[in-house]
Amino acid sequence: MVDIAPRQTTTAAPFGGRASMARTSTDAIARTTTGAPTPSRAPRRELPVIGGARDIAIDTTRSILLVIVVALHAFMVGVSLDVNGTPLLENAMEHWSGWPVLTWFAQVMPLFFVLGGFASYTQYSRLRARGTTASAYISSRLVRLLIPAGAAIAAVTVFLAVLTVTGVSPDVIATAGFRISQPFWFLAVYIGVTALVPAMVWLHERNTTLSLLTLALGAVVVDIVRVATDIPAIGLLNLAFVWLFAQQLGFALADGTLDRLGVRAQRVIGVGAVATLALTMLTGFYPTDLYAALNPPMAALVLLGIAQTMLFLQLRAGLRRFGALPGIARVTCWIGDRSMTIYSWHMLVTIAIAGALIIAPFSLPTPVSLDWWLTRPLWFVAVGFAVFLVASLAGRLERRRVTAPAGRVATVAATLLAIAGVVATLIIGSVGAVWVIATAAVALALALVARRAPREISSR
């Protein structure tokens, strides 16, 4: 997130932010783990706190989840040639019977939103105490999200244009645009829930339990009505209920509400959530494929988010020790500094590599065949290295210091513009011209809220 406060502080960004532990001394790492000061030199930057030191487990877990998302999306990309030699770009997992089981372990988006809620509550509470207004907070978050995402959207526009000019099949271009657009649903939803952080924090502080129960019940009601009417579009209402619930659960994690439940209660709640989810699957109300429960989102993800959060609480101490290891802290910090860049760019990078394979002078294995499985380790290495290179270069944009002193009207307009631009790519991302419109919308949104920070704020 963008720093509104003086530069000696570090904000908790939406997808990991700047994790900064690796840039501090070993003593600073120990301080974040134990909360106690050390007698040796102080850390370079003060970490944001809500009733205690920053929790390394949060930053470490967010980085792990981002790696899982990138790896999973790479896993899903299938590229081959049909019997006529026509290039095929498809979801390889549509041909694999083991996919539903894998989603029980790989569907991490609920926990993503929970930990994002933790970061949002931590930052907003700290900045609000310093007098920052809600609109200033929202506009700064928009800038932090849209700079790397906007650059990625512009890059996709150029990529599709190059494919068109070089005579690539329109079907392949349309498929590439569609596949690249799919992960951007997260950006659209995250902009929306982020814009509601001040209002949702207000509700959380008035009645934590009631706000959580209301959102969870709303998600269940939407699912019941969707199934009863057989109108899938009704399920889109859960874009609000499901993900706001996960964010709200993150608030409860940040202020210590969940810790006060005690270990036994946490375990009972977690096991109960898993049992309820399994029961609803056995009855056929929810799919066993938890990625199928993502579009539109279903209350199954509410149960999954609860279970994942309770599991995180059980593993938290171990994650702190793991995250405090110098090498892990450096990796966490690197990923955190470029988190939104990694997410926004990874699918473009993956599709570009897949396209290069199509024109390569060797045969391609059929997705989920034995040869295909044997080549997956090399594929993951290639995608990981390419994403690393792109994030190293494009990530510099994400690290730029920009202020966002926009007023309420400009902030609302920028939010709506950004969401509209991203949603356009989701609905008709197979059409190249839509990416041009999305690029313009995001650029205009940024123009409404972003200004280059003064030298004393932008210096690192």
Side-chain angles (χ1 to χ4, degrees):
M1 197 47 236
V2 175
D3 289 318
I4 301 177
R7 276 302 303 139
Q8 70 267 25
T9 61
T10 299
T11 59
F15 225 108
R18 295 200 316 281
S20 84
M21 287 89 66
R23 298 195 190 91
T24 64
S25 64
T26 303
D27 293 327
I29 294 175
R31 179 176 181 269
T32 60
T33 306
T34 64
T38 60
S40 53
R41 64 190 179 96
R44 296 178 188 174
R45 287 179 286 182
E46 178 187 357
L47 298 176
V49 296
I50 289 294
R54 179 167 182 158
D55 195 337
I56 292 177
I58 297 291
D59 297 304
T60 304
T61 303
R62 296 172 86 181
S63 295
I64 292 172
L65 296 182
L66 181 54
V67 171
I68 290 174
V69 168
V70 173
L72 193 67
H73 286 163
F75 192 48
M76 294 168 69
V77 172
V79 55
S80 60
L81 300 175
D82 65 12
V83 292
N84 298 317
T86 303
L88 293 177
L89 187 60
E90 57 186 333
N91 181 357
M93 295 300 96
E94 292 177 353
H95 308 291
W96 185 42
S97 60
W99 173 247
V101 176
L102 179 62
T103 64
W104 273 75
F105 304 94
Q107 174 53 281
V108 296
M109 295 314 297
L111 187 57
F112 245 139
F113 277 87
V114 171
L115 300 186
F118 180 102
S120 297
Y121 184 87
T122 301
Q123 185 192 45
Y124 178 65
S125 297
R126 176 171 56 83
L127 295 179
R128 181 181 57 177
R130 297 178 179 179
T132 301
T133 65
S135 60
Y137 167 79
I138 296 168
S139 60
S140 67
R141 295 280 285 192
L142 278 176
V143 171
R144 176 65 175 81
L145 283 165
L146 293 181
I147 287 179
I153 291 172
V156 174
T157 304
V158 173
F159 175 70
L160 296 179
V162 169
L163 293 182
T164 301
V165 171
T166 54
V168 175
S169 165
D171 290 339
V172 172
I173 296 174
T175 302
F178 170 72
R179 296 294 179 192
I180 294 171
S181 71
Q182 287 181 307
F184 279 98
W185 73 264
F186 171 84
L187 177 61
V189 173
Y190 209 96
I191 291 172
V193 299
T194 295
L196 293 173
V197 162
M200 300 310 293
V201 167
W202 184 89
L203 290 173
H204 169 78
E205 292 174 342
R206 293 321 180 266
N207 195 316
T208 300
T209 303
L210 181 60
S211 62
L212 285 169
L213 288 177
T214 300
L215 291 168
L217 180 61
V220 172
V221 170
V222 168
D223 284 345
I224 293 173
V225 174
R226 172 181 55 80
V227 172
T229 61
D230 197 25
I231 302 177
I234 291 176
L236 295 176
L237 293 173
N238 269 344
L239 288 170
F241 286 115
V242 168
W243 301 124
L244 283 174
F245 172 87
Q247 178 176 263
Q248 208 80 352
L249 194 60
F251 295 171
L253 178 64
D255 72 359
T257 298
L258 299 185
D259 290 308
R260 290 190 289 272
L261 291 173
V263 173
R264 181 177 180 138
Q266 292 166 2
R267 291 174 179 174
V268 169
I269 293 172
V271 171
V274 172
T276 304
L277 180 57
L279 180 62
T280 59
M281 289 179 173
L282 289 174
T283 62
F285 190 75
Y286 289 129
T288 55
D289 179 349
L290 286 172
Y291 261 77
L294 193 63
N295 184 27
M298 303 175 187
L301 300 180
V302 168
L303 293 168
L304 182 62
I306 293 172
Q308 289 175 339
T309 303
M310 297 306 142
L311 178 61
F312 168 79
L313 286 168
Q314 306 309 302
L315 302 177
R316 198 175 196 175
L319 286 165
R320 284 172 179 161
R321 292 190 294 271
F322 177 71
L325 296 173
I328 300 301
R330 283 192 291 272
V331 173
T332 297
C333 180
W334 190 91
I335 292 175
D337 271 352
R338 301 159 180 83
S339 53
M340 201 62 209
T341 298
I342 293 171
Y343 188 88
S344 300
W345 285 78
H346 78 275
M347 203 63 188
L348 170 59
V349 172
T350 304
I351 295 300
I353 297 175
L357 289 177
I358 291 176
I359 62 175
F362 50 78
S363 60
L364 297 172
T366 302
V368 304
S369 65
L370 177 60
D371 289 342
W372 186 85
W373 284 108
L374 292 175
T375 59
R376 287 314 86 189
L378 182 60
W379 169 250
F380 287 132
V381 169
V383 171
F385 182 68
V387 171
F388 168 78
L389 289 180
V390 171
S392 296
L393 297 173
R396 297 174 183 176
L397 291 173
E398 186 169 353
R399 300 171 68 185
R400 292 178 64 186
R401 299 299 92 213
V402 180
T403 57
R408 184 177 302 173
V409 174
T411 299
V412 171
T415 301
L416 295 177
L417 265 173
I419 292 176
V422 176
V423 169
T425 67
L426 293 172
I427 297 176
I428 41 179
S430 58
V431 179
V434 170
W435 289 91
V436 177
I437 296 172
T439 301
V442 172
L444 181 55
L446 274 171
L448 287 171
V449 295
R451 297 179 189 174
R452 187 60 186 267
R455 185 178 183 84
E456 63 270 17
I457 296 179
S458 60
S459 60
R460 294 185 62 82

